[in-house]
Amino acid sequence: MSRLSSAEQVADASRRVERVYGVLAKVYDDFFDWALGPGRRYAVSRLPLGDGDSVLEVGVGTGLSLPLYPSNCRVTGIDISEAMMERARARVERLGRTNLELRRMDARNLHFADESFDHVLAPYVISVVPEPGRVMSEIRRVCRIAGTVVVVNHFGSRNPILGWMEGLLSPATQWLGFRMDVPLEAVVDTPGLEVVKIERVNLLGMWRVVVMRRVD
Ligand SMILES: C[S@@+](CC[C@H](N)C(=O)[O-])C[C@H]1O[C@@H](n2cnc3c(N)ncnc32)[C@H](O)[C@@H]1O
C-alpha cells in the first residue's frame, strides 16, 4: 500500500506524466501516429463543426490532430508537457494557420471561463491524467450548453479475464504514463453530459470514441 497521501500521489503522477512525455515527445509521432491515427481522425470528424465555431483540444500533445480542423473554426490546444507543446508549436508554424492557438495548461484546472467553447475534444488523454473525473468535470464546465464533447480513449475491459490482466499491467504501464484500467464510467457518468454515441476504433476496436452533449 502507498504511504503517500492522495494529494501527494496526484502530484507524483503529474510529475511522472511530465517526465515521461519529456522523453516520449522525441519519438511520439513515429510510434503513435499510425497506431492511434484512425481513432483521432474519426473523433475529429464527429465534431459538428460550423463556421466560426470554437474548439478546445485537451492534451493536444504534438498537435497531430491540428491539420484535421477546417480553417473556419478556432482551435485552442492545451497540454501539460512543455516538450510535447514545443512540437505542437513547430507544427502550427509549419501549417501557417492563424486559427490555431496553443497554451500550456493542466487539464485538471482549465484557465477558461464557463461555457467558453462550442466543442471539446479529448484524444487519448483520459487514461494519462491522474484524476480523470476532475478533467471530465472541467471539460463539461468549459463546453457551452448543447455543445459537443468527444473523448477517444482505451477503457478497462468488462471481460473479467481481460480486465484482470489490464489491472495487472496497469502499475507497469503507469510508468509509461498511462493506465489500461480506466473504466468507461469515468467518462460516461460525468454529470451534465449525455452520451450520444459510443463507437469502437483502432486496432481490434480496442479504443472507443465517446460522443456526448452538454445538457446542463
Ligand atoms: C497519449 S498523449 C495524446 C496526445 C494527442 N492528444 C494525440 O492524439 O496524439 C497524452 C497527452 O496528454 C498530456 N497530458 C497528460 N496529463 C495532462 C494534464 N493533466 N493536463 C494536460 N495535458 C496532459 C500529455 O502531456 C500528452 O501530450
Side-chain angles (χ1 to χ4, degrees):
M1 210 165 78
S2 173
R3 280 191 218 126
L4 297 176
S5 70
S6 61
E8 285 168 333
Q9 284 179 33
V10 167
D12 192 45
S14 297
R15 278 194 296 273
R16 190 180 309 134
V17 165
E18 288 196 61
R19 201 170 54 235
V20 165
Y21 281 95
V23 176
L24 264 189
K26 298 181 187 79
V27 294
Y28 187 87
D29 293 1
D30 299 327
F31 283 97
F32 295 98
D33 195 16
W34 70 269
L36 305 179
R40 190 184 295 110
R41 287 191 285 278
Y42 190 69
V44 174
S45 79
R46 297 295 86 196
L47 296 169
L49 297 172
D51 196 23
D53 277 4
S54 56
V55 183
L56 173 67
E57 188 173 315
V58 176
V60 68
T62 62
L64 283 169
S65 55
L66 295 176
L68 304 173
Y69 293 100
S71 52
N72 63 349
C73 63
R74 290 168 290 123
V75 181
T76 305
I78 69 107
D79 201 285
I80 204 167
S81 161
E82 180 53 31
M84 296 291 270
M85 291 292 275
E86 256 176 41
R87 282 168 162 75
R89 282 188 211 107
R91 191 185 304 277
V92 169
E93 220 168 287
R94 280 199 304 278
L95 289 169
R97 298 254 300 264
T98 52
N99 64 322
L100 309 173
E101 189 195 351
L102 296 169
R103 291 175 65 177
R104 190 168 178 215
M105 205 179 285
D106 188 337
R108 294 169 304 156
N109 183 23
L110 295 173
H111 300 172
F112 301 111
D114 297 355
E115 298 196 56
S116 292
F117 298 92
D118 295 306
H119 316 285
V120 183
L121 175 69
Y124 309 115
V125 64
I126 292 301
S127 48
V128 176
V129 291
E131 295 175 292
R134 183 164 158 192
V135 171
M136 284 309 300
S137 125
E138 277 293 85
I139 285 175
R140 173 209 155 263
R141 181 182 68 75
V142 301
C143 182
R144 71 165 164 80
I145 303 273
T148 311
V149 170
V150 176
V151 173
V152 54
N153 211 70
H154 170 80
F155 295 102
S157 174
R158 288 191 177 142
N159 175 303
I161 296 170
L162 286 179
W164 175 74
M165 283 167 63
E166 286 169 351
L168 281 185
L169 285 173
S170 242
T173 62
Q174 270 177 279
W175 284 103
L176 290 170
F178 68 96
R179 297 188 64 98
M180 290 195 76
D181 58 355
V182 174
L184 179 64
E185 289 73 20
V187 169
V188 300
D189 287 353
T190 308
L193 293 181
E194 175 187 84
V195 175
V196 177
K197 207 168 193 181
I198 303 179
E199 288 168 282
R200 289 189 176 271
V201 288
N202 294 340
L203 190 69
L204 304 174
M206 281 169 61
W207 284 259
R208 274 174 275 193
V209 170
V210 184
V211 180
M212 288 172 287
R213 186 171 33 235
R214 179 166 174 192
V215 286
D216 80 45

